[in-house]
Amino acid sequence: MPRLVINGLEARYGSLKVLDGIDLDVASGDVVGLIGPSGSGKSTILRTLVGLTPPAAGSVEIDGEHIDYAKPGDVRRLRDRLAIVFQQYNLFQNMTVLQNVMIAPTKIKKRAAAEVREEAVRLLAKVGLADKLDRYPDELSGGQQQRVAIARALALRPEILLLDEVTAALDPELVSEVLDTIRVLAREGMTMLIVSHEMGFIREVSKEVVFMDAGRVVERGTPAKIFDAPEEARTRDFVSKILRH
Amino acid sequence: MWERLIEEAPRFFGYYNLVFLGKAALATVALSALGCIIGIVLGSLVALLRLTTRLPLAPLRWIAALYTEIFRRVPFLVTLMLVFFAFQLSKVDLPMFWVAAVSVTLIASAFLAEIVRAGFESVHRNQWDAAAAMNFGLLDTVRYVVLPQAWRIILPPAFGFFVLFIKDTALASQIGVIELTFAGKVLNNKGFSAVLVFGTILVAYFLVSWPLSRLGKHLEQRLASPRHQRP
Ligand SMILES: Nc1ncnc2c1ncn2[C@@H]1O[C@H](COP(=O)(O)OP(=O)(O)OP(=O)(O)O)[C@@H](O)[C@H]1O
Ligand SMILES: [Mg+2]
């Protein structure tokens, strides 16, 4: 059953149309990889989904429930089910690593602090940061911040996880650590929409790959189709260029 | 001149004058404290209101914006007169001290609203985004994420304003509130030499405002950013 269904989604920044009629769906437990050139609107899709950039047109459904982004109640319920890891991590600068992970579950979801703490410590250990609990974000490397952001998103216990370039800032050995984390999540059945330039990873972890360019979905299909036998010239172009690197 | 001052001093610092000056200083302190404390509360509320996004609150947002823009631009004296005559017209019989207190609070709130707003805006957009995406409401975002980062930006201009503001409360003398400046004029009219009287008033203002500056510095160091507290 499709869990996340996006139809004709449009978004603009001022007069610039950044999303121009996006159709996309993610089935429950699936991983969909979103690829495309810089500026094609990948981050904007994720931001629009969580209600940070208001959609100009189109519809979003989660488990059959239509989301009206103009209604605060709808957005609140949506954000209870979706978590996003930002391209720039967006960790709270005034909080330690542990506080970053614990703040929303305790203060917003009002779960018991002791229980949240236990889970936060476990999640941080899982992403290899057990020894950094009391550090502040500006004392961490980009890759470490990235992993805190992943742990923070997981602590929300989301049904759907949106990941934006979670490996962009990592050194090669850390890339594999973060990718392992995501692989485990995929195996555990987490529904995910993943934006990445890591083609090998996208290919391995995704059930379906969506290629977009200039605010439109150009082509979608199994990883084998997109990477080995793309139908569209633009996809072929992009894939061959990025694989050559 | 010195001889005259020395001759006058014991009389000037007599019991009744000291009580009179003390009461006046108290009025200055009270006006300043009211302005600063209620000002920071109301100012923060106005700044918060301007951050809301919901449509039904739009009229309140405009009023908040208009209020901040107007009262920061009007001379203190004009606001004072406006409030004074507004109370006269509405036949509310308020002691002059409270008329002055209302004016002072109106002005301080407008200035502090702008200072707080600038502080809020100094916090990077992505901090607001992260909070919103995790379902923080506006108040939770400000409380847990924005204020702890904005203190550093808000405190220096806020305390700078407080210090300027203390001396501006002198204008309350225009409507007959007996605060420090008014007390100075009264004593001067009684025949005490201007140097002695206003020298004393100067010291009094300094004694009121100096501790406040120190408090500001202290808070800046303590609250500014939790990260800088660590060794
Ligand atoms: N806040 C903003 N204001 C104005 N334009 C923006 C803003 N954010 C993004 N854009 C523009 O929207 C377009 C899509 O941006 P987006 O960040 O979604 O691209 P992307 O596919 O994620 O790119 P990248 O791979 O570099 O992260 C770009 O042309 C970008 O310049
Ligand atoms: Mg992006």
Side-chain angles (χ1 to χ4, degrees), chain B residues 47 112-123 150 153-154 157:
Chain B
L112 291 166
E114 193 58 17
I115 289 171
V116 172
R117 191 177 73 94
F120 286 171
E121 279 185 357
S122 74
V123 175
I153 309 296
I154 292 174

Side-chain angles (χ1 to χ4, degrees), chain A residues 47 76 91 93-94 138, chain B residues 127 129 135 144 227 230:
Chain A
R47 290 180 56 86
R76 208 173 321 116
L91 295 180
Q93 297 298 315
N94 58 313
D138 64 359
Chain B
Q127 303 285 296
D129 283 350
N135 247 340
Y144 295 117
R227 284 180 288 156
R230 287 170 304 142

Side-chain angles (χ1 to χ4, degrees), chain B residues 14-38:
Chain B
Y15 177 73
Y16 288 104
N17 280 358
L18 282 184
V19 170
F20 182 62
L21 274 173
K23 277 187 179 163
L26 216 57
T28 293
V29 170
L31 280 179
S32 310
L34 277 173
C36 294
I37 293 167
I38 301 182

Side-chain angles (χ1 to χ4, degrees), chain B residues 189-220:
Chain B
N189 286 343
K190 277 190 178 169
F192 291 107
S193 78
V195 174
L196 185 62
V197 171
F198 290 107
T200 306
I201 300 295
L202 179 144
V203 171
Y205 271 114
F206 181 80
L207 288 180
V208 174
S209 97
W210 178 249
L212 194 67
S213 311
R214 297 307 307 163
L215 175 68
K217 281 274 176 300
H218 177 70
L219 284 180
E220 263 169 58

Side-chain angles (χ1 to χ4, degrees), chain A residues 47 72 76 79-80 86 90-95 103 107-108 136 138-139 152, chain B residues 54 126-127 129-136 140 144-145 148-149 226-227 230:
Chain A
R47 290 180 56 86
R76 208 173 321 116
R79 287 172 175 167
D80 262 341
F86 293 93
N90 301 13
L91 295 180
F92 296 133
Q93 297 298 315
N94 58 313
M95 298 180 201
I103 183 93
K107 301 300 181 197
I108 308 301
Y136 283 82
D138 64 359
E139 300 170 327
R152 183 173 71 170
Chain B
R54 292 195 189 185
N126 72 25
Q127 303 285 296
D129 283 350
M134 295 198 291
N135 247 340
F136 284 62
D140 284 332
Y144 295 117
V145 180
Q149 298 185 52
R227 284 180 288 156
R230 287 170 304 142

Side-chain angles (χ1 to χ4, degrees), chain A residues 13 16 18 37-44 87 165 197:
Chain A
Y13 286 115
L16 179 70
V18 180
S38 184
S40 56
K42 305 181 297 293
S43 295
T44 307
Q87 193 166 358
E165 300 285 6
H197 277 109

